[in-house]
């Protein structure tokens, strides 16, 4: 079965700060967007921290743990891998990740 991916524009990449998270809303879903310019990569994950169900991940600091880029929850500092969504401190928790890419200076997301 072939499924069509629905891409949604998030506007100009200039609206997104380097290294820091930005919260966007696509439909009813809050998504945390991160741009790691040293890797030349964009990441998008759910903004909801599954541990205490707070919308906080876009405010987390990004880092690297053994080559795995992560966002640290600003509350209790659990690390979530930006590629896979797995919690690096407790693999029983995962967060949803979303395909995201830049095209012609515009950021687009499949969510
Ligand atoms: S609430 Fe996010 S790590 Fe505890």
């Amino acid at each position: 079965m072939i499924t069509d991916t629905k891409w949604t524009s998030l506007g100009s990449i200039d609206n997104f700060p380097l290294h820091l998270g930005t919260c966007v809303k696509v439909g009813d879903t809050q998504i945390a967007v991160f741009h790691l310019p040293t890797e030349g990569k964009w990441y998008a994950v759910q903004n909801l921290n599954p541990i205490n169900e707070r919308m906080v991940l876009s405010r987390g600091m990004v880092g690297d743990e053994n080559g795995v880029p992560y966002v640290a929850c600003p509350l209790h500092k659990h690390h979530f891998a930006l590629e896979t969504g797995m919690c690096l401190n407790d693999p029983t928790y995962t967060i949803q990740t979303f395909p995201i890419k830049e095209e012609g200076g515009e950021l687009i997301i499949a969510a």
Side-chain angles (χ1 to χ4, degrees), residues 49-54 56-57 73-78 80:
N49 184 309
I51 298 173
N52 74 350
E53 303 197 344
R54 301 275 173 125
V56 292
L57 291 180
C73 175
L75 297 179
H76 305 116
K77 312 303 181 206
H78 280 83
F80 294 91

Side-chain angles (χ1 to χ4, degrees), residues 23-44:
C23 183
V24 299
K25 197 169 180 188
V26 179
D28 291 332
T29 305
Q30 286 190 31
I31 299 173
V33 173
F34 299 93
H35 183 205
L36 304 187
T38 46
E39 300 179 6
K41 287 193 173 178
W42 292 88
Y43 297 99

Side-chain angles (χ1 to χ4, degrees), residues 23-103:
C23 183
V24 299
K25 197 169 180 188
V26 179
D28 291 332
T29 305
Q30 286 190 31
I31 299 173
V33 173
F34 299 93
H35 183 205
L36 304 187
T38 46
E39 300 179 6
K41 287 193 173 178
W42 292 88
Y43 297 99
V45 300
Q46 70 182 50
N47 193 37
L48 179 72
N49 184 309
I51 298 173
N52 74 350
E53 303 197 344
R54 301 275 173 125
M55 296 288 190
V56 292
L57 291 180
S58 63
R59 294 178 170 195
M61 300 290 289
V62 292
D64 181 292
E65 187 171 313
N66 301 319
V68 177
Y70 68 80
V71 58
C73 175
L75 297 179
H76 305 116
K77 312 303 181 206
H78 280 83
H79 293 179
F80 294 91
L82 290 170
E83 291 269 5
T84 65
M86 189 176 81
C87 180
L88 301 174
N89 311 94
D90 183 346
T92 60
Y93 291 103
T94 54
I95 57 174
Q96 185 175 6
T97 62
F98 302 88
I100 190 168
K101 61 185 177 182
E102 176 191 345
E103 272 185 9

